[in-house]
Amino acid sequence: MSRTVPDMETGRGKGTGIGARSVAIAVTDGMLHFELGIAYEVFGSDLTHLVDPWYDVALCGPGPIRAGRFLLEPDSGLDRLPYADTVIVPGWADVDQAPSAELVDAVRAAHEAGARVASLCTGAFVLAAAGLLDGRRATTHWAHTDVLAARHPGVEVDPDVLYVDNGSDNGRVLTSAGKAASMDLCLHLVRLDHGSAIASTVARRLVVPPHRAGGQAQFVTAPVPAQDDHPLADLFPWAIERLDRPLTVEDLARRANMSSRHLGRHFRAVTGTTPLQWLLTQRIRRAQELLEATGDSVDAIAEAVGMGTATTLRRHFNRTIGVPPDAYRRTFRNSRSSAG
């Protein structure tokens, strides 16, 4: 499944001249196969026609291991991790279960030996257990950021970004949010190692956006709850159908037939945020959809989502998503052009 791994006695990056050529993907039972597949697709595919040598990749774990419904036979044990230039820790399926001490110790040893360590999705829980995130910014899947912060108070958890590259630490510890953000982080590593042109070529091959900045917000934030047995169940679709109007908290309270104060308590309980912040999130989400699917001007979209002016939309969009509306639209247009 893999090609070669640097010799354990000679150290990392043997004779390559590339600072991060050897990649070890740390695997144990309970890993998420999607994130594992992303890492192997990016680093394990034979792309020597782009860069020669490309990466040498090995699955390292106490095999055989089970990832979802797949049974995998690792190439090497976890004791190989300290000899890799880059160690990738895929998502951890059950965040309520502590990762194995063997895995945690191996990841810590790799970092102490000088390896660059990156986690994908809930793999951040492994890095946190190893103490690698103490005093650092980090992220993980938005559904688990509160758990990560509560379990590891020494970690500065940022729930609203795609990935975090601790650049002040030479990027030696990196974390990504969930699923698709794992691809963003892997491409970011390729960009660091081989430059933007090569990373964009890899992205085109995979038919994904060539670059999404790490500071860009995770795309699913404060969603409408799926359950329909709460006091605001009828209010949410009513408000979403009227996003082009200047809705106020009083408008929402009147529709819900409750006081503004009572409405605020229900909103906090159901969505974890305030009515106005929820409205803003829904307006931004609608703006994202229109930027992706239409050629409407930013002024027209601002009016359609109740922001009034392009200036107001740009200010809120940039603060929430991390990129201006025009840059967001270009990303998706470039992605579609690459797919064509």
Side-chain angles (χ1 to χ4, degrees):
M1 196 172 175
S2 65
R3 294 192 296 280
T4 61
V5 179
D7 186 83
M8 295 177 68
E9 296 182 359
T10 58
R12 58 177 52 82
K14 181 177 71 172
T16 66
I18 297 176
R21 179 186 175 190
S22 59
V23 175
I25 304 176
V27 293
T28 61
D29 281 332
M31 288 292 177
L32 296 171
H33 59 274
F34 182 81
E35 288 78 0
L36 173 58
I38 284 176
Y40 203 88
E41 181 64 29
V42 171
F43 300 107
S45 298
D46 184 2
L47 299 181
T48 51
H49 62 287
L50 298 179
V51 175
D52 191 7
W54 187 242
Y55 296 95
D56 286 325
V57 178
L59 295 182
C60 300
I65 67 102
R66 184 169 293 281
R69 292 181 176 270
F70 298 95
L71 190 64
L72 304 175
E73 185 67 46
D75 303 294
S76 306
L78 290 170
D79 58 346
R80 286 273 185 159
L81 297 191
Y83 299 92
D85 299 301
T86 299
V87 172
I88 305 291
V89 182
W92 186 250
D94 186 359
V95 298
D96 293 327
Q97 176 185 351
S100 73
E102 183 183 11
L103 173 62
V104 170
D105 291 344
V107 169
R108 184 187 300 115
H111 179 257
E112 291 174 351
R116 178 175 62 182
V117 181
S119 66
L120 308 180
C121 192
T122 50
F125 283 83
V126 178
L127 271 59
L132 273 58
L133 302 182
D134 289 345
R136 290 189 170 100
R137 282 181 65 239
T139 193
T140 188
H141 191 290
W142 61 268
H144 303 295
T145 50
D146 288 346
V147 177
L148 182 64
R151 190 173 302 168
H152 300 281
V155 181
E156 183 185 343
V157 179
D158 190 337
D160 297 321
V161 295
L162 294 176
Y163 59 85
V164 173
D165 178 347
N166 287 281
S168 60
D169 194 24
N170 293 322
R172 285 183 56 215
V173 179
L174 306 93
T175 54
S176 85
K179 302 302 178 185
S182 300
M183 177 67 78
D184 293 307
L185 178 54
C186 288
L187 290 173
H188 174 66
L189 292 174
V190 173
R191 188 174 300 108
L192 290 176
D193 298 338
H194 301 295
S196 296
I198 295 297
S200 295
T201 300
V202 175
R204 284 195 297 273
R205 173 181 172 271
L206 297 170
V207 197
V208 297
H211 182 224
R212 292 200 295 172
Q216 186 167 317
Q218 297 188 34
F219 283 44
V220 182
T221 53
V224 176
Q227 70 271 22
D228 56 5
D229 57 351
H230 56 80
L232 305 181
D234 294 332
L235 179 63
F236 288 140
W238 179 87
I240 288 174
E241 290 175 0
R242 293 164 175 77
L243 291 179
D244 59 328
R245 306 178 191 181
L247 296 174
T248 65
V249 174
E250 289 71 25
D251 293 330
L252 298 177
R254 192 178 305 111
R255 175 67 185 182
N257 196 28
M258 59 181 68
S259 69
S260 298
R261 190 172 182 179
H262 197 196
L263 178 77
R265 286 198 297 268
H266 278 297
F267 254 92
R268 179 67 66 179
V270 174
T271 71
T273 189
T274 65
L276 287 180
Q277 185 58 49
W278 180 86
L279 267 176
L280 176 61
T281 297
Q282 303 312 312
R283 295 187 197 281
I284 295 296
R285 286 165 61 88
R286 177 66 59 80
Q288 287 177 289
E289 294 171 359
L290 294 174
L291 288 165
E292 294 172 27
T294 76
D296 294 349
S297 68
V298 175
D299 289 278
I301 291 175
E303 185 175 349
V305 302
M307 292 284 192
T309 67
T311 300
T312 301
L313 174 59
R314 286 191 173 96
R315 181 174 70 251
H316 287 294
F317 197 95
N318 198 21
R319 185 176 63 190
T320 303
I321 302 300
V323 293
D326 308 277
Y328 182 90
R329 169 174 272 165
R330 282 196 300 272
T331 295
F332 282 89
R333 282 184 172 173
N334 289 342
S335 176
R336 292 192 180 100
S337 298
S338 298

